Amino acid sequence: MAGGGFAGAGAPSADYGGGITFSVVVTCLMAASGGLIFGYDIGISGGVTAMESFLEAFFPGVLRRMAAARRDEYCVYDSHVLTAFTSSLYLAGLAASLAAGRVTRAVGRQAVMLAGGAFFFAGAAVNAAAVNVAMLIVGRMLLGFGIGFTNQAAPVYLAETAPAKWRGAFTTGFQLFLGIGNLAANLTNYGAARIPRWGWRLSLGLAAAPASVIVVGALLIPDTPSSLLVRGRAEQARAALRRVRGPKADVDSELEDVARAVEAARANEEGAFRRILRREHRPHLVMAVAVPLLQQLTGVIVIAFFSPVLFQTAGFGSNASLMGAVILGAVNLGSTLVSIVTVDRYGRRPLFLTGGIVMIICQVAVAWIMGSQIGRDGESTMARGYSVAVLALTCVFSAAFGWSWGPLTWVIPGEIFPVEIRSAGQGISVAVNLGATFVLTQTFLAMLCSFKYATFVYYAAWVAVMTAFVSAFLPETKGVPLEAMGAVWARHWYWGRFVKPPTAKDAEALAN
């Protein structure tokens, strides 16, 4: 239904005569707004945990370590309870993302996004009213249910709805809204930190704002044609497709291709999660696990969550560290705009590879600066110039992530799965993403305390591994219609041994 290009094809893909219509832009923007809640949470968590009023209310032990006459700068924030506050959300999100595949099949992607927004709204209310750590964690789990549902449904909704030629740009919109949410959260933290005693409640409670955007957006958009056909609503699917493609599109031909894929899925009733384990879906399963896992192993999520803590470790004061997080969020948002412009022009692989190289250089440089300035004992003070250099390098790292692994981690899983395993594949991808985020956020502060500056060398090594993985095993998917995506894997030097050769229909779609 949607498309994007095959490496070496040299010509635009079949788009059934449709183009960018006002309706498809509005629909995709509403669906992409699902990224707001994830971005807001990423930004808000690290800032709140750096606020003294929040630490005084729930984590006084951290404040005592901050006040110590001699302290290890790497270990000030090492608290398992504090990291549990941040990471508990991701266990709930992992469970919700796995359940969302079955729920989506029953009620559709639109309803799942609506439920995600409602859960997130409830979690924001509980966290804003929290009086103890238990309430904080219950609220975080409700937020997790919202993120798990929304992250599972929104990227696939975008891939199924976007026009073939611009699928990458539209699906990258999810990351764009994630960046907007992150920047809004950092600005909120910067302002709320100046409000004594209850500023943290404002930061946590304002999570209801992006949740409201998602709820309203989900109410205003139709479900995807694929999802409607799966539930036997052919006429609604035709109307939904005509609405987003416009009157000049060959809606009947596109709907016929989607219906053929849906019927093929119905012919295999063994269950999507069981089916994805079959040999012919080996590349899909590997990518469903590897792409989100490797994204987290860039270390970006812990930098995003704990950037205020990181900048304090590097020598900035509390307010200056929050402003550093704002700058970081703005850079990430700007680089995502670069990705939107380039992803369908140059393809996915060039963005992955250039981003990986830049991230490796930045993390090695940060490790060298922190090692030479703070040392192994963490008791030295970093000179102001070097602190600014850490901020600059972190911003460059964030920019590289923002044009590569940030948006493409949502683009690739959203477009590579055949319809019979699409919900299951996306569910696995989101579950791995959230599970890895849980482990990393739970362990980062302890790792920083133990590994010191070598933490950044550790992540740089993983970025080198993932860049090599993309170079060898990820085919270019730019310009390939979703229904013909199997031909990409069949022609790959390695995955071709698992995937059947393309049909005549697939070959024709790739050649057009």
Side-chain angles (χ1 to χ4, degrees):
M1 167 165 173
F6 179 63
S13 66
D15 61 3
Y16 306 98
I20 296 180
T21 64
F22 177 76
S23 180
V24 78
V25 170
V26 172
T27 299
C28 287
L29 284 175
M30 290 294 184
S33 68
L36 281 173
I37 59 175
F38 196 22
Y40 189 87
D41 179 77
I42 290 173
I44 216 69
S45 301
V48 166
T49 54
M51 293 183 189
E52 291 189 8
S53 58
F54 178 78
L55 295 174
E56 181 181 1
F58 299 102
F59 308 101
V62 174
L63 276 182
R64 286 193 293 270
R65 283 199 295 276
M66 291 175 68
R70 287 177 61 83
R71 66 190 189 191
D72 185 339
E73 292 288 352
Y74 294 111
C75 300
V76 168
Y77 290 91
D78 183 19
S79 166
H80 291 297
V81 180
L82 179 60
T83 51
F85 159 73
T86 299
S87 60
S88 57
L89 177 150
Y90 299 98
L91 279 183
L94 187 156
S97 63
L98 291 175
R102 186 175 295 273
V103 176
T104 298
R105 192 172 184 83
V107 301
R109 307 198 194 287
Q110 176 202 28
V112 170
M113 288 190 289
L114 181 63
F119 272 120
F120 201 84
F121 188 96
V126 172
N127 272 346
V131 295
N132 53 45
V133 174
M135 272 189 81
L136 282 177
I137 292 179
V138 168
R140 294 287 293 172
M141 293 180 71
L142 289 171
L143 296 176
F145 290 140
I147 286 175
F149 277 173
T150 305
N151 285 11
Q152 193 276 349
V156 177
Y157 185 105
L158 290 164
E160 290 183 343
T161 303
K165 194 174 181 180
W166 297 281
R167 185 180 66 239
F170 276 100
T171 310
T172 301
F174 185 84
Q175 177 70 21
L176 176 66
F177 275 90
L178 192 154
I180 292 172
N182 180 264
L183 179 59
N186 287 324
L187 288 169
T188 300
N189 282 335
Y190 185 72
R194 301 171 182 275
I195 303 174
R197 306 205 63 81
W198 59 271
W200 62 269
R201 292 190 187 274
L202 180 64
S203 288
L204 295 178
L206 282 177
S212 299
V213 172
I214 306 228
V215 169
V216 172
L219 289 172
L220 295 177
I221 59 177
D223 210 342
T224 69
S226 293
S227 182
L228 290 166
L229 285 174
V230 165
R231 289 177 286 138
R233 302 181 181 182
E235 288 307 312
Q236 291 183 36
R238 186 183 304 277
L241 188 57
R242 189 169 297 282
R243 172 179 171 178
V244 296
R245 292 292 181 262
K248 297 181 180 180
D250 188 356
V251 170
D252 290 337
S253 294
E254 183 170 1
L255 194 65
E256 180 183 341
D257 286 346
V258 177
R260 187 182 298 112
V262 169
E263 288 305 315
R266 284 177 177 159
N268 300 279
E269 294 295 339
E270 61 192 275
F273 281 103
R274 189 181 304 172
R275 183 171 175 76
I276 201 173
L277 298 175
R278 293 176 59 172
R279 178 180 174 84
E280 64 263 31
H281 294 308
R282 188 70 51 79
H284 308 106
L285 179 60
V286 169
M287 293 301 164
V289 174
V291 171
L293 178 62
L294 292 174
Q295 185 210 42
Q296 296 309 310
L297 288 172
T298 62
V300 73
I301 199 71
V302 292
I303 289 176
F305 275 121
F306 299 112
S307 54
V309 174
L310 174 64
F311 292 143
Q312 283 191 343
T313 301
F316 288 94
S318 178
N319 286 336
S321 66
L322 289 173
M323 178 51 70
V326 171
I327 296 171
L328 200 63
V331 169
N332 185 269
L333 181 59
S335 62
T336 302
L337 292 172
V338 172
S339 182
I340 289 175
V341 173
T342 57
V343 66
D344 287 318
R345 176 175 298 180
Y346 302 111
R348 284 67 163 149
R349 283 169 52 87
L351 298 183
F352 269 129
L353 298 177
T354 56
I357 292 170
V358 173
M359 286 191 287
I360 292 170
I361 294 171
C362 290
Q363 288 191 320
V364 171
V366 168
W368 177 79
I369 291 174
M370 295 189 74
S372 64
Q373 293 297 301
I374 299 179
R376 284 286 305 173
D377 58 13
E379 295 182 1
S380 302
T381 301
M382 185 179 293
R384 183 69 177 178
Y386 285 102
S387 298
V388 173
V390 168
L391 173 60
L393 286 166
T394 306
C395 286
V396 175
F397 172 90
S398 182
F401 178 85
W403 78 61
S404 60
W405 282 89
L408 296 179
T409 299
W410 304 108
V411 172
I412 296 298
E415 68 186 6
I416 65 171
F417 301 117
V419 68
E420 65 266 27
I421 60 168
R422 192 167 292 158
S423 291
Q426 183 68 12
I428 291 171
S429 180
V430 173
V432 170
N433 185 293
L434 296 175
T437 305
F438 167 78
V439 173
L440 291 174
T441 53
Q442 187 67 30
T443 59
F444 172 70
L445 294 178
M447 181 186 294
L448 184 62
C449 183
S450 299
F451 284 16
K452 315 297 184 184
Y453 58 86
T455 300
F456 301 96
V457 176
Y458 168 83
Y459 286 124
W462 273 113
V463 177
V465 169
M466 57 207 275
T467 302
F469 174 84
V470 166
S471 179
F473 296 108
L474 183 66
E476 181 58 70
T477 54
K478 176 178 73 74
V480 183
L482 293 187
E483 289 71 40
M485 195 65 72
V488 174
W489 302 104
R491 295 181 181 183
H492 189 267
W493 71 271
Y494 179 75
W495 301 121
R497 69 192 68 184
F498 301 100
V499 181
K500 297 177 183 178
T503 64
K505 178 79 173 178
D506 293 338
E508 180 184 353
L510 283 170
N512 286 338

